[in-house]
């Protein structure tokens, strides 16, 4: 069973201030826990149901960390409405400021997503997953963007958080000292369907869900780009917009 001490700690990690103090976060669900166990990330503890143990205990690394519990206990301490598999407590890795020299991307051109005040954890998790799909290994976030270790972000990212590096830092300072071009997503601008790239690679800036890219950052945008609308919707969800823009820019730079 999950002890009172562990239960209290796990519940506290649902809040950013305690994640910061403890330098820990939680991963929930069968696939995500299996991925983090197979990774090089430091896992502190795992709580798992008997069916999970029967299926995987002989196949996963760090099996000695796994403690058996019930599904009801996982639901009681975690954030999922149902969880019949596992929950892991994981060490938050050391985060670095992004620089072009630090990038680990293996694409022919260096593309980096930049998030300006993205507030919704679900949107952030979705964007992390999109970056992983397109082979983008680095996302730079403004300091007021949602915390990437929020349980809702981790759930939405579906394991992609293990392969995409997130950096929180001043975006104006980043752009001042980088040679990469800066593309900004706006409701008006050059169509991503007809864009001509002067050079492959660059920063792709996505703005706040309600207000778009901040005025402070607008001065650093080299090219304003947009997704053409064929209907009457007011706007697109930022995660959907990220996928469409990444698809177009990555296709152009690899053609």
């Amino acid at each position: 069973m999950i002890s009172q001490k562990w239960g209290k700690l796990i519940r506290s990690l649902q809040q950013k201030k305690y994640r910061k103090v403890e330098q820990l976060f939680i991963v929930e669900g069968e696939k995500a826990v299996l991925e983090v166990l197979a990774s090089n990330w430091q896992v502190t503890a795992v709580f798992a149901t008997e069916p999970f143990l029967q299926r995987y205990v002989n196949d996963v690394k760090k099996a000695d960390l796994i403690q058996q519990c019930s599904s009801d206990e996982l639901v009681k301490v975690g954030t999922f409405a149902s969880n019949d598999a596992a929950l892991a407590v994981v060490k938050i890795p050391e985060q670095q400021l992004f620089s072009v020299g630090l990038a680990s991307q293996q694409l022919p051109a260096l593309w980096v997503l930049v998030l300006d005040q993205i507030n919704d954890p679900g949107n952030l998790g979705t964007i992390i997953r999109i970056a992983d799909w397109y082979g983008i290994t680095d996302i730079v976030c403004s300091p007021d963007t949602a915390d990437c270790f929020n349980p809702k972000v981790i759930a939405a990212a579906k394991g992609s958080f293990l392969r995409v590096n997130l950096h929180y830092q001043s975006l104006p300072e980043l752009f001042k000292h980088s040679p990469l071009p800066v593309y900004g997503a706006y409701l008006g601008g050059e169509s991503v369907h007809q864009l001509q790239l002067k050079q492959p690679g660059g920063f792709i800036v996505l703005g706040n869900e309600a207000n778009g890219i901040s005025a402070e950052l607008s001065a650093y945008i080299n090219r304003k780009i947009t997704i053409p609308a064929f209907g009457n919707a007011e706007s697109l969800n930022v995660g959907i917009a990220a996928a469409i823009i990444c698809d177009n820019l990555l296709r152009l730079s690899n053609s």
Side-chain angles (χ1 to χ4, degrees):
M1 63 180 293
I2 301 175
S3 69
Q4 185 176 1
K5 179 181 177 181
W6 273 111
K8 183 179 179 181
L9 174 63
I10 293 167
R11 282 189 291 268
S12 76
L13 296 178
Q14 297 174 31
Q15 298 182 53
K16 182 178 179 178
K17 63 180 180 180
Y18 293 113
R19 291 194 295 273
K20 186 175 181 179
V21 169
E22 301 291 344
Q23 286 298 292
L24 297 169
F25 70 104
I26 60 173
V27 178
E28 299 173 86
E30 180 177 300
K31 291 183 178 180
V33 170
L34 286 173
E35 284 198 66
V36 79
L37 283 171
S39 75
N40 293 322
W41 288 45
Q42 185 178 338
V43 179
T44 301
V46 179
F47 300 92
T49 61
E50 184 178 1
F52 180 94
L53 291 169
Q54 289 177 344
R55 287 193 296 271
Y56 302 115
V57 74
N58 294 322
D59 302 323
V60 300
K61 295 193 298 181
K62 308 161 188 161
D64 56 314
L65 296 173
I66 302 176
Q67 303 176 47
Q68 185 173 332
C69 66
S70 69
S71 175
D72 288 343
E73 288 178 283
L74 292 179
V75 172
K76 186 176 180 180
V77 300
T79 65
F80 282 13
S82 63
N83 184 356
D84 60 358
L87 180 151
V89 180
V90 185
K91 181 76 174 174
I92 293 176
E94 183 179 350
Q95 293 180 297
Q96 296 177 292
L97 297 182
F98 178 83
S99 66
V100 172
L102 178 69
S104 58
Q105 192 166 322
Q106 301 301 311
L107 293 171
L110 177 61
W111 289 103
V112 181
L113 282 172
V114 178
L115 308 183
D116 181 22
Q117 302 177 41
I118 299 299
N119 293 327
D120 185 86
N123 285 338
L124 177 55
T126 298
I127 292 169
I128 293 170
R129 195 175 178 189
I130 289 164
D132 189 25
W133 180 264
Y134 286 101
I136 295 173
T137 58
D138 292 276
I139 297 176
V140 184
C141 304
S142 63
D144 47 3
T145 288
D147 175 24
C148 63
F149 296 108
N150 181 311
K152 292 180 180 178
V153 175
I154 298 299
K158 302 288 185 185
S160 290
F161 69 91
L162 295 166
R163 293 176 290 275
V164 179
N165 305 307
L166 273 85
H167 315 267
Y168 287 78
Q169 62 199 80
S170 166
L171 301 184
E173 288 300 313
L174 169 70
F175 296 146
K176 283 178 187 176
H177 301 100
S178 174
L180 295 178
V182 183
Y183 297 81
Y186 288 86
L187 290 177
E190 299 177 73
S191 168
V192 293
H193 298 160
Q194 300 165 348
L195 205 62
Q196 297 292 319
L197 298 184
K198 297 175 183 177
Q199 69 178 79
F203 293 111
I204 304 168
V205 184
L206 301 166
N208 175 264
E209 292 90 342
N211 302 312
I213 295 172
S214 63
E216 181 185 19
L217 283 191
S218 293
Y220 300 95
I221 304 297
N222 302 134
R223 298 179 74 177
K224 294 183 177 182
I225 58 175
T226 193
I227 301 166
F230 297 94
N232 299 310
E234 181 183 354
S235 62
L236 283 175
N237 170 274
V238 67
I240 294 172
I244 295 170
I245 291 170
C246 285
D247 190 78
N248 279 274
L249 293 183
L250 270 292
R251 175 177 49 81
L252 287 170
S253 63
N254 287 280
S255 60

